[in-house]
Every structure is written in C-alpha cells, then in structure tokens.
C-alpha cells in the first residue's frame, strides 16, 4: 500500500508533524510505504527525521490557502500579488503532485492538516481516496484567515471521496462531522517507552511555541503571582518564537516583575521527555488546543498536567481522569501554589495510573492500527465500487 502524505510545513517541531512521524513509524511496521511531500523552508528538520527512518520525501513549493496580512500600507500593496502568487504556485504544485502520484502508484493521499487543499484537489482529479486529517480548529486556535469560508470547507470535507479523521471529539464536533468520519487520537510514542520517575525537581515546565494563542502570557502572569508566595520553584520554557520581538516582550515582562532569574528559556529541546519526568508539573495554557499532544506526552512521562479548561486539553484530562484544570490566571497561580504545598509525591499513584491509561489510548501502536484499518476499508470500498 503506497500512501502520499502532504504536510503544511517542514519542521519537526510542530505537533502535527511529530504526530505524523510517529504514525508513519507505526504504519511502516504494517507494510505501508509512506511518501511525504514537503515544501522548502529554512527549517527542514522533518526531512532529517524522515531520512533517519527510511521514509522517502519530495520537496516542491506550495502554499497553505491563507490570506496574507493586510495591516500596513505595504501589506495592502502586496495583498493581491501574494494571493495570486500562492494560487499560481499551487496550480504548478497540483501538476507535480499528480505526476508523483502516478509515478509512485499511490493508493491513498493523506493530507496531514485541515487547511491544506492540494491533496483533496488532486485526489478528486485522479479519483483516488483522500484522507483528511483534521488537527486544528483553524479559527479558535490559530485565528486563521483562509481563502475559503467555513461553509465552503465543510462542503469540501463532505465530498464523497473524503475520509475525515479528527484528532479529538472537540474537533469532530467543531466541524459537525458524522460517520464514517472518525476520531483517532494521536500516537505519542511506543507504549514501551512510557516512564515514571518518582524523583521530581522544583520546577514547572512549559513546552511549545511561544505565541499568544498558546497562552504563554497567561502562564507568565500566573507565575509572577505564584512567585509572591513561593521562593523555591522555577519555570522552564522549552520552545521558541518565530518573532524575536515577541520573546523579548516576555523577557521584559519577567524583568519588570523581578522574576527574570526564575524563568529559563531553553529553546527547542530533544530531551523533553526527561524534562517532563522530573518536573513538578507541566503547564498547558493553550487557549484552545485541538488535541493537546503535549498533555498526552506528559502522561506518558508520569508528569502531572495543569491545563486550561478547554478543548482537547480538557478532553484528555477528563478521559484519563488525572490532571488539574483552571479557568483564570488566578486559578492557575493557586493550583501551582497548592501543589507545592501538598507535594507532587502525593500524586504518585494517580500519575502511574494515568501513564498506564495513556499507553492504551495514545500509543503509537494504537494510532497506527486504527489508521491502517481505515486505509484497508477505504481500498476495499473502492474495489467494491
């Protein structure tokens, strides 16, 4: 079975691409031959990781159907040219993808994110099955401004040639999906890779992109309140921003509050699992997480999660039954402070239980089995028709 996967960007350091990577590892073991389509970016770390596991990739230029900025005079001047350029490049990309599909005898095209239309368009033209993996709300989490309307997107989703996968019940309901659309939770890692470390250190951890929609400002505000009553625990931030000025504004805020020495910006890390295993808790302040991959990762690593009471973060914590939820900055600060007073060691039994449940719900093996079963059904239905 040959499957072409189309990604939105080429960095390994995104939830969607890390989830794709782990899915491919599992699917390869089931005899699927994955071929991944990448667009040329400065950050090509996904290609590096794919090469390591022997997954073939193609690099061609294409764009997501997003409207450009229209704020400054220069933005307004270049607004239409940018749209026309993107549409023209995507026209060329569709032709190149069609040639790849035919040359590689592709059986299924699998688009790895929602706001990317190329796979849908090529699959319809060539009359082969298309899997649309919905990994984001688009509006609630990233405030995306797209070429299409939500009504138009729903119409495309419901095309008879599509099979939709939602990564959470929250996503499923957001797009008003119905069977045979299905929810398949992301595969985080192999179940055998789960680890619990009973020895915890005096730090809270944040992992992810530094942006407003990820709630990093809320976390820093809560941590500044927390520091008024706690002198022992620090905050580690594993992640970075594409905008240096935004990161500087966060640092300025911390210095104004006099707590700059208690927060460490680590950048992208390859030892996130180890950081989680030793943390007092992982903070997930994302305003609307579609799934909350980082929440599930924490559970695999025996790490308590304190998360925003919305979207996929709430869904995962409710499903597993372990974790703390908050609605406001003050509530987050209180939960952090109370945890340091009670002691994370008092959660050990709950953390081990959560880890064992996560191994069943969010393992690489479980994810690959569900996706592979879906592929087989798609091909069977195609052959029957």
């Amino acid at each position: 079975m040959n499957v072409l996967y189309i990604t939105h960007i080429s960095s390994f350091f995104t939830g969607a691409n890390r989830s794709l990577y782990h899915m491919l590892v599992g699917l390869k073991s089931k005899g699927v031959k994955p071929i991944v389509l990448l667009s040329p970016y400065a950050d090509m770390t996904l290609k590096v990781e794919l090469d390591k596991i022997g997954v073939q990739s193609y690099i061609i230029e294409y764009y997501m159907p997003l409207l450009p900025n229209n704020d400054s005079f220069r933005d307004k001047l270049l607004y239409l040219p940018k749209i026309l350029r993107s549409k023209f490049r995507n026209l060329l990309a569709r032709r190149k993808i069609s040639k790849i599909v035919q040359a590689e005898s592709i059986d299924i095209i699998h688009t790895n994110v929602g706001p990317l239309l190329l796979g849908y368009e090529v699959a319809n033209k060539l009359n082969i099955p298309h899997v649309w993996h919905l990994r984001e709300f688009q509006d609630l989490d990233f405030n995306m401004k797209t070429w299409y309307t939500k009504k138009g997107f729903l119409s495309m989703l419901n095309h008879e040639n599509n099979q939709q996968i939602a990564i959470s019940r929250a996503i499923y309901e957001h797009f008003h999906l119905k069977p045979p659309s299905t929810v398949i939770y992301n595969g985080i890692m192999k179940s055998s890779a789960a680890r619990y470390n009973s020895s915890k250190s005096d730090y809270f951890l944040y992992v992810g992109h530094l942006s407003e929609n990820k709630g990093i400002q809320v976390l820093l505000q809560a941590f500044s309140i927390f520091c008024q009553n706690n002198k022992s625990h620090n905050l580690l931030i594993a992640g970075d921003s594409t905008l240096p000025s935004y990161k500087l504004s966060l640092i300025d805020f911390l210095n104004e509050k006099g707590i700059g020495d208690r927060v460490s910006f680590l950048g992208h890390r390859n030892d996130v699992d180890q950081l989680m295993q030793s943390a007092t808790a992982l903070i997930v302040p994302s305003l609307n997480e579609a799934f909350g991959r980082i929440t599930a990762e924490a559970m695999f690593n025996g790490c308590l999660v304190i998360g925003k009471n919305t979207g996929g973060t709430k869904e995962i914590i409710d499903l597993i039954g372990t974790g703390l939820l908050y609605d406001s900055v003050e509530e987050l600060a209180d939960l952090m402070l109370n945890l340091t007073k009670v002691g994370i060691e008092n959660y050990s039994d709950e953390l081990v239980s959560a880890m064992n449940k996560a191994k069943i719900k969010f393992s690489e093996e479980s994810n690959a089995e569900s996706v592979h079963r879906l592929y087989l059904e798609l091909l069977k239905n195609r052959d029957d028709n």
Side-chain angles (χ1 to χ4, degrees), residues 7-9 11-23 46 112-114 133-136 142 167 186 214 289 293:
T7 63
H8 66 308
I9 58 176
S11 171
F12 182 67
F13 298 102
T14 71
N17 283 349
R18 289 171 66 200
S19 294
L20 171 67
Y21 172 86
H22 286 283
M23 184 175 74
L46 177 58
N112 192 50
V113 294
H133 216 133
L134 304 177
R135 298 185 182 276
E136 57 287 302
F142 296 109
I167 61 171
N186 287 333
K214 290 295 183 180
E289 198 68 48
R293 178 183 177 84

Side-chain angles (χ1 to χ4, degrees), residues 46-61:
L46 177 58
K47 177 171 172 43
V48 174
E49 297 302 321
L50 293 175
D51 289 344
K52 290 179 183 178
I53 60 172
V55 171
Q56 180 183 354
S57 61
Y58 284 88
I59 301 174
I60 65 173
E61 186 178 359

Side-chain angles (χ1 to χ4, degrees), residues 97-362:
I97 295 170
S98 295
K99 291 180 180 179
I100 293 171
V101 169
Q102 293 166 341
E104 299 288 352
S105 300
I106 297 298
D107 298 297
I108 295 171
I109 295 179
H110 187 138
T111 298
N112 192 50
V113 294
L116 193 57
L117 307 182
L118 291 170
Y120 160 78
E121 293 165 341
V122 173
N124 284 348
K125 177 183 177 182
L126 300 180
N127 195 31
I128 63 175
H130 177 243
V131 174
W132 217 329
H133 216 133
L134 304 177
R135 298 185 182 276
E136 57 287 302
F137 293 108
Q138 301 185 29
D139 48 3
L140 299 181
D141 44 7
F142 296 109
N143 193 30
M144 290 181 178
K145 301 292 189 284
T146 57
W147 299 346
Y148 53 79
T149 63
K150 186 173 182 179
K151 182 178 179 181
F153 184 66
L154 294 178
S155 177
M156 289 184 281
L157 281 182
N158 292 321
H159 190 279
E160 61 183 2
N161 195 49
N162 284 328
Q163 169 64 54
Q164 305 87 3
I165 298 176
I167 61 171
S168 66
R169 177 59 53 179
I171 289 291
Y172 190 95
E173 294 173 353
H174 182 70
F175 289 108
H176 312 292
L177 300 180
K178 298 177 182 178
S181 301
T182 186
V183 175
I184 299 179
Y185 289 121
N186 287 333
I188 304 305
M189 60 183 76
K190 292 185 183 297
S191 56
S192 60
R195 294 286 184 273
Y196 175 71
N197 179 8
S198 61
S199 178
K200 303 295 185 181
S201 300
D202 290 344
Y203 65 82
F204 292 98
L205 178 66
Y206 170 89
V207 179
H209 188 62
L210 305 186
S211 62
E212 186 174 351
N213 66 296
K214 290 295 183 180
I216 184 65
Q217 291 166 292
V218 170
L219 170 55
L220 297 187
Q221 290 168 9
F223 188 69
S224 70
I225 298 172
F226 164 82
C227 287
Q228 295 173 11
N229 297 291
N230 176 281
K231 306 301 179 185
S232 61
H233 283 65
N234 294 326
L235 174 63
L236 304 186
I237 298 177
D240 219 328
S241 174
T242 53
L243 299 174
S245 59
Y246 184 79
K247 182 177 178 180
L248 287 175
S249 71
L250 301 178
I251 295 173
D252 288 343
F253 171 82
L254 294 171
N255 290 334
E256 288 173 8
K257 296 294 183 179
I259 56 172
D261 59 337
R262 294 184 62 178
V263 179
S264 298
F265 290 86
L266 307 178
H268 292 305
R269 297 285 290 236
N270 293 320
D271 61 345
V272 167
D273 289 338
Q274 290 74 23
L275 290 172
M276 288 181 175
Q277 289 163 16
S278 297
T280 296
L282 174 78
I283 313 297
V284 184
S286 181
L287 304 184
N288 277 291
E289 198 68 48
F291 169 69
R293 178 183 177 84
I294 208 70
T295 299
E297 282 187 29
M299 292 174 175
F300 263 87
N301 286 298
C303 178
L304 183 68
V305 176
I306 304 177
K308 178 73 172 171
N309 190 26
T310 60
T313 305
K314 171 178 167 54
E315 183 173 333
I316 292 175
I317 288 176
D318 287 347
L319 181 67
I320 299 300
T322 299
L324 305 174
L325 294 168
Y326 71 89
D327 290 303
S328 67
V329 171
E330 292 74 20
E331 285 184 14
L332 174 55
D334 287 343
L335 287 175
M336 296 166 71
L337 185 60
N338 290 338
L339 180 58
T340 60
K341 291 179 178 179
V342 172
I344 186 59
E345 62 275 5
N346 288 297
Y347 284 85
S348 58
D349 289 344
E350 293 180 52
L351 295 178
V352 171
S353 175
M355 181 182 68
N356 289 329
K357 291 177 182 177
K359 287 161 62 176
I360 297 171
K361 293 287 186 182
F362 311 127

Side-chain angles (χ1 to χ4, degrees), residues 364-380:
E364 188 178 282
E365 300 94 323
S366 174
N367 173 265
E369 176 62 33
S370 296
V371 174
H372 186 249
R373 191 184 312 119
L374 182 146
Y375 286 169
L376 293 176
E377 291 173 359
L378 278 179
L379 294 181
K380 181 179 182 299

